[in-house]
């Protein structure tokens, strides 16, 4: 008999059905006449309660082997549960233990562990309730992302991970090289001779798939890329990772307003889908992690996002009845304390801020008619701050070349990007959603390191 998943049995299992399950022991309770083990197989937050009766062969030896963390297969009969908390349970007829877990050394004994501690056992923490729920929500959210774009005819394009360009121009790049770091080849002027490197030029891990997504949008109209991106920013915060996943749609024949509309529709869709796919997990987050999770989801789905310009945002911040660590003035970039004040205290809901000063935004954003601001948009949400960054792209060749130069970059390095503006250029726009930030926002998890299986942060690349 093939085995069944616990999620399926908890939802649909019928009394008297003969089933086989496989999983790991979460807890064991030994009573006088029989015992319970709670088994989890990762398919659901809830465990399946298994009843072990002394008539089982080698009963007491079996019980001694079934400690928290042990792996097993159980075949038996489903029975309606007389106890509270579960609809059905499994009366064991045959139990096979695959691997024991020594109670003296297995780190996940039945008690609450801090998330800091769990990060030190990244190879085991996926077996906890919280990390399990996070990973199921993460999976449901990823599936919904594809569904959203596929339903709308967007082409999923695979943009490269290794690249020679710095899309954001922020210099936060990890180098990719095969040069011998102990014998670096030098040019006569002592600079590194990258012509001898693997790609014949300096290469990096990508910070964003946007530039290549633009190439594809100018052939397929609507595309998206969804993959890992890398930033060597040395910021040890609860919202930054050195390796994170980003979703980046890019639309030809689209302006900043269309971009904002799509982003808002997208976030609403993701929340709806995850609530439908993972109701128990979302309920768990609301009960155990952050009691505003379900209210926030409801608000995202049903309320319109606030929309203001950067200039209006600065005016609101200048009028704020509180002082900020980073002073506010027109021209400064919004810091996370500013973003959170606006989203949490002024608007109390997600908001879209548009038209930022050209100097503080990337070279590719379209210059507005005022010549001072660009057609940028950031979506800010309570608790997280920026969750989406996007813009209408500069489609005019002369202006784009000037913007590249003004940012201290060399237009020759971006010859192909400029070429797109020479051959069949169109207004186009797109945005990037930080995948871990949306999972964090949905689940209420305080630290971004706990919403990705294996976080990469400064001084940390274990597991
Ligand atoms: O605002 P960013 O830098 O925008 C871009 O990369 C554009 N190329 C996107 C586009 O228009 N196609 O990054 C986009 C989003 C941010 O809003 C944030 O959610 C997330 O990526 N993000 C990070 N998430 C985790 N750790 C980091 N270090 C992040 N940096 C950005
Ligand atoms: Mg940004």
């Amino acid at each position: 008999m093939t085995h069944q998943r616990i999620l399926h049995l908890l939802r649909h299992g019928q009394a008297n059905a003969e089933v086989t399950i496989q999983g790991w022991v979460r807890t064991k309770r030994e009573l006088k006449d029989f015992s319970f083990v709670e088994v989890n197989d990762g398919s659901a937050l809830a465990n399946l309660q298994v009843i072990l009766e002394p008539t089982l062969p080698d009963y007491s030896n079996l019980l001694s082997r079934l400690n928290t963390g042990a792996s097993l297969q159980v075949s038996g009969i489903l029975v309606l549960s007389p106890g509270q908390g579960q609809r059905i349970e499994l009366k064991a007829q045959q139990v096979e233990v695959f691997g024991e877990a020594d109670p003296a050394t297995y780190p996940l004994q039945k008690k609450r562990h801090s998330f800091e501690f769990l990060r030190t056992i990244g190879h085991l923490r996926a077996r906890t309730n919280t990390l399990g729920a996070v990973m199921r929500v993460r999976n449901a959210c990823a599936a919904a992302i594809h569904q959203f774009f596929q339903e709308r005819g967007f082409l999923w394009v695979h943009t490269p991970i290794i690249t020679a360009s710095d899309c954001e121009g922020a210099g936060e790049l990890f180098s990719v090289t095969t040069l011998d770091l102990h014998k670096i080849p030098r040019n006569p002027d002592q600079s590194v001779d990258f012509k001898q490197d693997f790609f014949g030029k300096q290469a990096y891990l990508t910070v964003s798939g946007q530039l290549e997504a633009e190439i594809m949008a100018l052939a397929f109209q609507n595309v998206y890329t969804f993959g890992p991106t890398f930033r060597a920013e040395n910021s040890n915060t609860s919202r930054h990772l050195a390796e994170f996943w980003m979703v980046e749609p890019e639309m030809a024949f689209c302006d900043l307003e269309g971009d904002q509309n799509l982003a808002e529709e997208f976030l609403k869709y993701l929340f709806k889908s995850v609530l439908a796919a993972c109701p128990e997990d979302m309920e768990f987050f609301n009960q155990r992690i952050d009691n505003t999770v379900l209210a926030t989801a409801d608000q995202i789905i049903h309320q319109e996002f606030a929309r203001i310009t950067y200039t209006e945002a600065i005016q609101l911040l200048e009028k704020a009845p509180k002082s900020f660590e980073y002073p506010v003035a027109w021209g400064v970039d919004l810091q996370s304390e500013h973003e959170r004040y606006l989203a949490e205290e002024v608007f109390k809901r997600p908001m879209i801020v548009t038209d930022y000063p050209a100097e503080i935004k990337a070279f590719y954003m379209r210059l507005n008619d005022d010549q001072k601001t660009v057609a940028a948009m950031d979506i800010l949400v309570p608790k997280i701050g920026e969750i989406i960054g996007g813009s209408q792209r500069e489609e005019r060749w002369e202006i784009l070349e000037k913007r590249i130069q003004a940012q201290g970059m060399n237009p020759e390095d971006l010859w192909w990007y400029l070429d797109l503006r020479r051959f069949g250029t169109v207004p186009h726009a797109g945005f990037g959603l930080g995948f871990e930030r949306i999972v964090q926002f949905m689940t209420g998890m305080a630290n971004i390191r706990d919403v990705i299986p294996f976080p990469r942060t400064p001084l940390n690349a274990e597991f």
Side-chain angles (χ1 to χ4, degrees):
M1 189 172 34
T2 57
H3 77 279
Q4 288 182 287
R5 299 307 300 270
I6 288 174
L7 176 69
H8 178 78
L9 296 180
L10 291 172
R11 287 191 180 163
H12 311 290
Q14 298 288 330
N16 299 322
E18 264 183 62
V19 302
T20 298
I21 57 142
Q22 299 170 332
W24 291 265
V25 174
R26 280 294 174 83
T27 58
K28 172 177 68 175
R29 266 186 301 153
E30 295 183 55
L31 305 178
K32 202 157 75 42
D33 300 329
F34 60 98
S35 301
F36 290 121
V37 289
E38 299 269 340
V39 178
N40 193 285
D41 71 353
S43 64
L45 182 69
N47 306 318
L48 184 64
Q49 181 157 288
V50 175
I51 309 154
L52 304 167
E53 292 177 327
T55 49
L56 282 169
D58 213 8
Y59 177 70
S60 54
N61 178 45
L62 179 66
L63 270 192
S64 71
R65 301 176 68 203
L66 287 180
N67 297 300
T68 301
S71 52
L72 78 172
Q73 171 172 305
V74 183
S75 301
I77 307 282
L78 286 183
V79 292
L80 292 177
S81 176
Q84 290 204 329
Q86 66 272 320
R87 188 177 66 82
I88 49 152
E89 52 195 26
L90 177 60
K91 197 174 260 195
Q93 292 175 325
Q94 213 177 28
V95 180
E96 183 182 344
V97 181
F98 289 92
E100 295 180 41
D102 179 2
T105 49
Y106 184 58
L108 289 175
Q109 294 306 319
K110 194 191 172 184
K111 64 167 191 147
R112 269 201 163 178
H113 299 285
S114 72
F115 292 124
E116 287 76 14
F117 169 71
L118 291 178
R119 275 173 228 141
T120 68
I121 49 166
H123 58 311
L124 298 171
R125 69 173 185 166
R127 302 185 195 175
T128 62
N129 281 342
T130 306
L131 267 289
V134 164
M135 294 310 147
R136 282 184 297 271
V137 164
R138 195 180 154 99
N139 170 66
C141 189
I145 285 166
H146 286 296
Q147 219 171 337
F148 176 86
F149 289 119
Q150 294 296 327
E151 279 172 7
R152 285 161 183 73
F154 281 61
L155 198 77
W156 181 21
V157 297
H158 304 99
T159 51
I161 295 202
I162 300 175
T163 166
S165 39
D166 180 1
C167 172
E168 295 307 302
E172 292 165 340
L173 300 153
F174 285 101
S175 290
V176 175
T177 180
T178 52
L179 290 178
D180 180 350
L181 296 183
H182 305 288
K183 264 192 314 211
I184 296 173
R186 303 267 173 197
N187 295 312
D189 67 357
Q190 286 309 300
S191 62
V192 178
D193 182 9
F194 285 106
K195 282 195 289 309
Q196 296 190 39
D197 203 349
F198 190 90
F199 297 104
K201 65 200 304 200
Q202 206 169 359
Y204 315 94
L205 294 178
T206 190
V207 296
S208 159
Q210 178 196 321
L211 303 185
E212 291 88 358
E214 283 185 56
I215 294 178
M216 301 307 267
L218 293 194
F220 300 99
Q221 282 201 16
N222 293 337
V223 303
Y224 68 106
T225 171
F226 182 14
T229 51
F230 307 87
R231 297 199 185 175
E233 48 189 337
N234 204 354
S235 38
N236 243 314
T237 80
S238 60
R239 290 181 291 275
H240 288 89
L241 291 165
E243 174 178 305
F244 63 99
W245 285 62
M246 189 160 31
V247 190
E248 296 181 276
E250 191 69 34
M251 292 85 68
F253 310 100
C254 181
D255 62 10
L256 188 65
E257 197 185 339
D259 202 29
Q260 293 174 70
N261 293 344
L262 186 87
E264 181 167 348
E265 190 187 337
F266 181 48
L267 290 181
K268 288 175 158 44
Y269 183 99
L270 295 185
F271 270 89
K272 258 190 242 167
S273 306
V274 168
L275 280 179
C278 305
E280 295 90 359
D281 293 317
M282 291 299 287
E283 184 68 46
F284 169 84
F285 289 117
N286 201 63
Q287 273 180 21
R288 303 295 277 280
I289 302 294
D290 174 351
N291 64 10
T292 64
V293 157
L294 291 179
T296 301
D298 190 68
Q299 186 190 44
I300 296 282
I301 293 169
H302 295 108
Q303 269 190 33
E304 268 180 35
F305 295 6
R307 297 189 187 193
I308 63 168
T309 65
Y310 167 89
T311 303
E312 288 162 346
I314 292 293
Q315 286 162 357
L316 288 169
L317 290 167
E318 281 172 341
K319 276 194 284 190
K322 65 187 271 185
S323 59
F324 296 105
E325 193 188 330
Y326 292 90
V328 177
W330 199 96
V332 304
D333 203 359
L334 297 184
Q335 301 296 322
S336 119
E337 56 170 341
H338 306 138
E339 297 175 338
R340 292 187 54 176
Y341 169 75
L342 292 170
E344 287 166 25
E345 293 178 49
V346 182
F347 290 94
K348 299 190 169 65
R349 60 188 159 124
M351 54 186 300
I352 312 184
V353 181
T354 58
D355 305 295
Y356 285 73
E359 280 84 38
I360 59 171
K361 286 292 186 186
F363 67 90
Y364 53 72
M365 298 193 182
R366 190 178 196 278
L367 192 64
N368 285 328
D369 291 344
D370 64 11
Q371 308 291 317
K372 287 193 319 201
T373 58
V374 286
M377 66 130 179
D378 277 3
I379 300 195
L380 314 179
V381 297
K383 298 205 174 118
I384 310 279
E386 179 190 337
I387 197 162
I388 281 183
S391 63
Q392 186 172 339
R393 320 305 189 188
E394 185 54 76
E395 85 283 14
R396 298 160 296 184
W397 187 90
E398 305 78 14
I399 300 177
L400 179 61
E401 189 187 39
K402 284 205 195 83
R403 288 267 293 148
I404 292 173
Q405 279 162 342
Q407 304 236 348
M409 302 169 81
N410 184 356
E412 277 168 32
D413 294 339
L414 287 165
W415 63 271
W416 47 272
Y417 190 71
L418 280 156
D419 245 16
L420 296 175
R421 280 71 184 165
R422 294 206 300 151
F423 307 124
T425 191
V426 292
H428 61 289
F431 63 82
L433 167 71
F435 184 54
E436 284 72 25
R437 296 230 180 134
I438 182 83
V439 177
Q440 224 191 327
F441 184 43
M442 280 179 175
T443 58
M445 293 295 289
N447 198 310
I448 199 165
R449 292 166 178 80
D450 302 325
V451 298
I452 185 166
F454 307 105
R456 273 34 183 152
T457 51
L459 301 178
N460 176 38
E462 191 72 38
F463 310 109

